[in-house]
Amino acid sequence: MNIKQKRNLKKNVNAYVLLLPQLIGLVVFGALPIIMVFVISFSEWNLIGSMHFVGFKSIFAELKHPYFTKAMSNTLVFVIMNVPLTVGSAFIIAMLLNNVRFKVLFRAIYFMPVVTSVVASVMVWQWLFHPDFGPINAVLNGVFHLPVKILWLGSTKTAMLSIVIMNAWQTLGYGLILFLAGLQAVPGVYYEAATIDGANKWQKTRMITVPLLSPTTFYCVITSIIGSFQVFGQPYLLTQGGPLRSTYTIAMHIFQKGFTDMEMGRACAVSLVLFVIIIIITGIQFRVSKRWVFYEGE
Amino acid sequence: MKSAKSYLNNIAITFKYIVIVIGTIVMVFPFYWMILTSIRDASLSYRIPPVFNPTQFKWQNYVEAWTAYPYGHAYINSFIVTTAVVVFSLFTTSLAAFVFAKMDFAGKKILFPMILATMMIPFQVTMVPVYLIMRSMHLYNSLLALIIPSSIFNASGVFLLRQFIKGIPNEYCESAFIDGAGYFKIYYAIYLPLIKTALISLMIFIFIGVYNDFLMPLILIRDIKFYTVPILLAQMKGMWTTDIALSDAAAAIAVIPVLLVYCFAQRYIIEGITLSGLKA
C-alpha cells in the first residue's frame, strides 16, 4: 500500500472507531428491530414455544381482525383531528405572539405542557373532563348555558375528541416554538418592500409569511403526523381504549398483542403495517411538498 | 378616514390580546387545577359548581402521596437512569456528530442518511423487538435495560450536534491536525468546548425525555423496585381514582423536578428546538 492508501485506511478506521457507540446503537436498536419485525411477522410465536413460520397467515389474520381495523380507523380519526388542530393553533398563536411584548414569557408558558409527564397530565385532565364535577362542563353548562351535558370521556362519540383536545394542549407548545423561530427568520426587508408597494396586512401574510414559513410548516406537519400515529399514553391511561374501543389506537393494539396476549407474530405484523403506513405517508408528504414548500434561495 | 382605520386597528389589537390571554388561561389552568386540588381535601373538589379558590388547606395530602407507595425509590431509579443516559448519550452523540461533520470517510454518504431515516421510526414499531432483544441479553427488568438503548441510539441528537459543529470553521481541525493531534484529541480538546450551548440544550432535552418516558419502562420493567416515576405514578392513578387530592398531589410531586429544570433552563430547551427545527 502506498502512503496515500495507508492514510485513507487510517482515517476510515479512525472514523469508525469514534462512531462505534452510535453505530452499535443504530444496528442493535434501529436496524435489527426492523429486520426482526419483518421476520417475526411471518411467524406465530408466543414466547413459550418456538417460532413457527406461517408465511403471511399472521399478517392477513391481523388485517381482517376487527380489533385491528377498529384501531386503524381510530388512529386515522385521531391523526385527521389532531394534526390540523395542533399545527393550526400553533401557527395562529405564533402569528399573534410574534410582535407582542412579553413574548418570551408567553412562549415559556405555552411550552410548559410539553415538558409535563403524560401520566401527570392524564391525572389532571381526567378530572377536568368529568361530566358532573369537572370544571370544563361547569363552565360550559354554568357560564355558557349549553343545553346538553357532554360526556367527554364517557361517550363513544366524544372520547376521541377529548383525547385530541388533551393532546393538542400537550403538544401545541412544540409547534409554537418552531413557528416563532421561523417567523423571526423572515427577513424584515420583505415586509418593508411590501409596505412600500402598498400591501396591507392580509396580503403581506399571504404572500410573504406563509410561503417563507412553509419549510417550518412542513416539518411541523410531518412530525405531528408521525407523532399522531403513535399515540399511546393518553388513550392507554385515560380511557384504556374505551369506551367500547372507541379510543383504541394502533400503538395500543401492538401493545395488547405483544405484551398482554403474548402473540409476537401478530404484534410484529401490526408493527410492520404501522411502519409501512408511516413510510408511505412520509413519502407522499415529501412528494407533495415540492408543490407548496418554498425554500429561500430557490 | 384615519380615525376609522386606527379604530379598527385598535379592535384588532384588543382581539389579539384577548385570544392570547384565553390561550394562556387554557394552557395554565390544568396546572392550577392540579395544585389547587392537591392542597385541599378531596371532598372540597367535588363541589358543583366547582370552587376555584382554595380556602382550607390539607398539606397532609403530599405526605400521604409520598409514603403510600415507594416514591423515593422510584425517584432514585429515575435519577439513576436519567443521569446515566445523559452522560453516555452526550458523549456518544457528540463524538458521532463530530465524525460526520468534520471527517471524510468511506460510507459516510450512506450512513448519515440512514441515521436520519431512523428518526422517522416510532418506538411503537420497534418496541416488541427491543423487548425481545433485552430479554435475550438477560437485561429485562433491570435499570440497564432503560439506560442502554437511549445512550447509544439518538439520531436526532447526532443530527442537532452535527449541524452545530458544521458551523464551526474547519481551520481549528486542520491546524490541530497539522500539529499532530489525533482525531479524538481534536474532538475532545477543541470542538467539545465550542459546542457547549448545544450540549446544554441537548442535555436538558434528553433529561426531560428520559425522565418522562412512559412506554419504554412500561414494557421493560416488571418489579416495583425498578419502577421509574411515571410508571409508579400510573399505579397510583389506578389506586386513587376517587381521591383526587392524593392523585394530584402525587402528580405534582412527579412534575416538580422537570418544572424546576424547565424554569431555569427553558432558554436552552427552546434554543435547541429552534436550532434543530430551522435546520431540518
Side-chain angles (χ1 to χ4, degrees):
Chain A
M1 257 194 271
N2 60 28
I3 294 264
K4 193 153 189 206
Q5 284 174 315
K6 251 198 206 151
R7 211 183 319 148
N8 263 337
L9 183 66
K10 186 169 182 205
K11 198 175 193 190
N12 285 333
V13 168
N14 246 313
Y16 276 99
V17 164
L18 292 180
L19 271 182
L20 209 54
Q22 283 286 329
L23 207 55
I24 296 179
L26 173 69
V27 169
V28 174
F29 295 108
L32 183 60
I34 299 284
I35 299 175
M36 284 172 74
V37 164
F38 262 97
V39 170
I40 302 181
S41 312
F42 293 121
S43 76
E44 261 173 16
W45 187 23
N46 61 3
L47 271 196
I48 302 174
S50 55
M51 231 193 301
H52 316 287
F53 280 98
V54 293
F56 284 94
K57 181 167 161 215
S58 276
I59 301 179
F60 284 156
E62 267 308 311
L63 288 177
K64 285 187 295 185
H65 198 285
Y67 283 1
F68 172 81
T69 41
K70 189 79 177 119
M72 204 63 236
S73 64
N74 285 339
T75 311
L76 281 172
V77 167
F78 181 80
V79 172
I80 294 174
M81 282 204 281
N82 186 46
V83 174
L85 179 65
T86 309
V87 178
S89 315
F91 185 83
I92 294 175
I93 299 190
M95 297 285 300
L96 292 178
L97 276 183
N98 195 27
N99 293 315
V100 156
R101 250 190 313 175
F102 304 122
K103 172 167 89 170
V104 179
L105 174 67
F106 281 118
R107 198 177 59 172
I109 292 179
Y110 276 88
F111 196 69
M112 234 167 36
V114 180
V115 301
T116 312
S117 163
V118 69
V119 186
S121 313
V122 160
M123 278 161 106
V124 179
W125 277 89
Q126 187 157 49
W127 191 252
L128 293 183
F129 277 131
H130 199 292
D132 301 309
F133 300 112
I136 295 183
N137 268 359
V139 169
L140 281 179
N141 297 124
V143 174
F144 293 110
H145 299 291
L146 215 66
V148 235
K149 180 163 84 170
I150 308 179
L151 287 178
W152 298 116
L153 296 171
S155 150
T156 51
K157 296 201 186 72
T158 54
M160 196 46 117
L161 177 65
S162 318
I163 297 197
V164 169
I165 293 176
M166 186 199 149
N167 192 39
W169 173 84
Q170 183 121 39
T171 51
L172 187 144
Y174 191 79
L176 179 67
I177 303 287
L178 289 173
F179 280 126
L180 278 178
L183 281 173
Q184 287 287 76
V186 174
V189 256
Y190 289 132
Y191 292 118
E192 286 164 19
T195 318
I196 294 177
D197 285 345
N200 63 28
K201 270 217 176 101
W202 191 238
Q203 284 170 321
K204 280 190 215 169
T205 308
R206 205 160 55 92
M207 297 275 137
I208 303 177
T209 317
V210 171
L212 285 182
L213 215 48
S214 57
T216 315
T217 315
F218 180 61
Y219 180 72
C220 264
V221 170
I222 283 216
T223 40
S224 185
I225 290 182
I226 296 181
S228 303
F229 264 103
Q230 41 183 109
V231 64
F232 174 81
Q234 285 98 328
Y236 179 76
L237 289 166
L238 262 179
T239 53
Q240 294 80 49
L244 296 179
R245 287 192 191 266
S246 57
T247 56
Y248 189 64
T249 61
I250 280 277
M252 288 185 69
H253 190 54
I254 299 177
F255 182 81
Q256 168 93 12
K257 280 288 159 197
F259 300 103
T260 313
D261 299 342
M262 287 290 184
E263 290 176 40
M264 297 298 154
R266 306 280 279 249
C268 285
V270 184
S271 305
L272 184 62
V273 172
L274 177 61
F275 183 57
V276 168
I277 289 179
I278 290 188
I279 291 190
I280 292 179
I281 291 191
T282 310
I284 296 179
Q285 288 274 75
F286 270 96
R287 221 14 98 79
V288 173
S289 81
K290 295 208 162 98
R291 286 253 190 104
W292 64 276
V293 179
F294 171 74
Y295 290 101
E296 205 173 334
E298 270 175 18
Chain B
M1 266 297 109
K2 201 170 183 188
S3 64
K5 196 175 179 187
S6 61
Y7 179 68
L8 278 173
N9 213 21
N10 282 334
I11 294 188
I13 294 184
T14 319
F15 189 65
K16 178 160 98 168
Y17 272 96
I18 292 180
V19 172
I20 293 179
V21 168
I22 293 180
T24 314
I25 294 179
V26 170
M27 286 290 133
V28 172
F29 185 75
F31 292 104
Y32 173 70
W33 186 254
M34 176 170 75
I35 306 286
L36 180 68
T37 50
S38 67
I39 59 179
R40 64 184 180 188
D41 188 72
S43 60
L44 291 172
S45 305
Y46 284 97
R47 294 283 167 79
I48 309 175
V51 179
F52 291 110
N53 310 323
T55 40
Q56 296 155 295
F57 297 95
K58 187 184 176 196
W59 303 103
Q60 179 71 4
N61 289 328
Y62 278 87
V63 177
E64 253 186 86
W66 181 264
T67 51
Y69 278 81
Y71 223 135
H73 228 91
Y75 251 91
I76 293 179
N77 290 336
S78 278
F79 179 71
I80 294 176
V81 171
T82 315
T83 316
V85 171
V86 162
V87 168
F88 287 131
S89 62
L90 275 186
F91 180 56
T92 63
T93 47
S94 56
L95 254 181
F98 170 72
V99 170
F100 280 117
K102 292 295 174 200
M103 287 173 76
D104 250 321
F105 58 95
K108 174 163 136 175
K109 291 219 170 85
I110 310 175
L111 209 49
F112 192 62
M114 255 173 62
I115 289 191
L116 286 194
T118 60
M119 281 208 280
M120 298 216 193
I121 306 176
F123 181 62
Q124 281 74 359
V125 167
T126 55
M127 67 177 174
V128 173
V130 168
Y131 165 77
L132 294 171
I133 292 174
M134 283 301 168
R135 274 198 89 108
S136 66
M137 298 208 290
H138 298 290
L139 287 175
Y140 174 70
N141 199 29
S142 74
L143 288 186
L144 269 179
L146 298 179
I147 295 177
I148 292 180
S150 312
S151 299
I152 60 176
F153 183 46
N154 188 349
S156 52
V158 172
F159 178 65
L160 171 71
L161 291 182
R162 181 250 191 190
Q163 299 301 87
F164 211 75
I165 295 180
K166 239 184 187 290
I168 301 175
N170 288 350
E171 278 74 53
Y172 292 101
C173 190
E174 285 161 16
S175 52
F177 202 56
I178 292 176
D179 286 345
Y183 278 111
F184 185 78
K185 190 129 188 236
I186 300 179
Y187 150 79
Y188 186 74
I190 301 176
Y191 280 89
L192 207 51
L194 287 175
I195 58 173
K196 261 207 190 101
T197 13
L199 281 180
I200 295 181
S201 298
L202 188 59
M203 170 175 86
I204 296 170
F205 230 53
I206 297 174
F207 167 78
I208 294 180
V210 172
Y211 179 82
N212 282 340
D213 192 4
F214 178 66
L215 189 52
M216 195 153 82
L218 184 69
I219 65 174
L220 292 179
I221 302 291
R222 193 187 56 212
D223 293 337
I224 197 171
K225 66 178 176 188
F226 290 128
Y227 276 4
T228 53
V229 171
I231 306 294
L232 190 68
L233 191 60
Q235 286 263 11
M236 292 193 244
K237 171 184 171 294
M239 235 25 245
W240 291 325
T241 37
T242 46
D243 196 336
I244 184 184
L246 282 181
S247 56
D248 277 359
I253 298 177
V255 169
I256 286 174
V258 172
L259 283 186
L260 271 178
V261 169
Y262 179 67
C263 272
F264 286 114
Q266 48 115 331
R267 198 192 93 202
Y268 289 105
I269 303 176
I270 293 176
E271 266 173 31
I273 300 178
T274 309
L275 260 166
S276 62
L278 276 181
K279 307 221 172 168

